[in-house]
């Protein structure tokens, strides 16, 4: 009878030890994943900021007044006179 108790005690001690190691492992894994999540969220915030900046810049570069100014100054374009305009009809 005493041998069975000893075996049960050893088994329970090993189970407690395994459980403790599992808790340590899962806690460490949780910390690593939390740190990785923080890095990913920071990268996401930086990319969102960059996207907003680029959208704002795109809006500034594509503004009608700027396009017209570049067309007039750099490309020497102008609105054609009514006599120079040709109406093309679809047949």
């Amino acid at each position: 009878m005493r041998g069975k108790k000893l075996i049960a005690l050893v088994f329970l001690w090993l189970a407690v030890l395994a459980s403790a190691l599992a808790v340590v492992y899962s806690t460490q894994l949780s910390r690593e994943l939390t740190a990785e999540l923080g890095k990913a969220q920071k990268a996401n915030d930086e990319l969102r900021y960059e996207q907003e900046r680029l959208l704002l810049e795109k809006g500034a570069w594509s503004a009608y007044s700027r396009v017209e100014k570049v067309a007039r100054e750099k490309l020497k374009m102008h609105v054609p006179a009514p006599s120079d305009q040709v109406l093309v009809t679809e047949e």
Side-chain angles (χ1 to χ4, degrees), residues 4-60:
K4 288 183 180 182
K5 286 184 179 182
L6 183 61
I7 291 174
L9 183 63
V10 169
F11 176 74
L12 288 175
W13 185 81
L14 290 174
V16 168
L17 185 61
S19 175
L21 290 175
V23 168
V24 170
Y25 174 75
S26 65
T27 302
Q28 180 62 26
L29 184 61
S30 174
R31 287 181 181 155
E32 290 173 1
L33 292 174
T34 301
E36 189 176 330
L37 176 63
K39 289 177 185 177
Q41 287 175 336
K42 183 178 178 183
N44 184 38
D45 292 342
E46 290 172 359
L47 288 173
R48 185 178 296 133
Y49 170 76
E50 180 73 10
Q51 180 188 24
E52 291 172 3
R53 189 187 65 76
L54 290 173
L55 286 173
L56 187 62
E57 188 175 330
K58 176 185 172 188

Side-chain angles (χ1 to χ4, degrees), residues 68 72 77-81 85:
E68 184 179 11
R72 288 183 189 276
M77 297 175 79
H78 63 280
V79 177
Q85 295 178 5

Side-chain angles (χ1 to χ4, degrees), residues 66-87:
R66 184 184 179 288
V67 171
E68 184 179 11
K69 180 180 177 184
V70 169
R72 288 183 189 276
E73 294 176 0
K74 290 189 177 181
L75 302 176
K76 307 296 184 211
M77 297 175 79
H78 63 280
V79 177
S83 61
D84 295 334
Q85 295 178 5
V86 177
L87 179 62

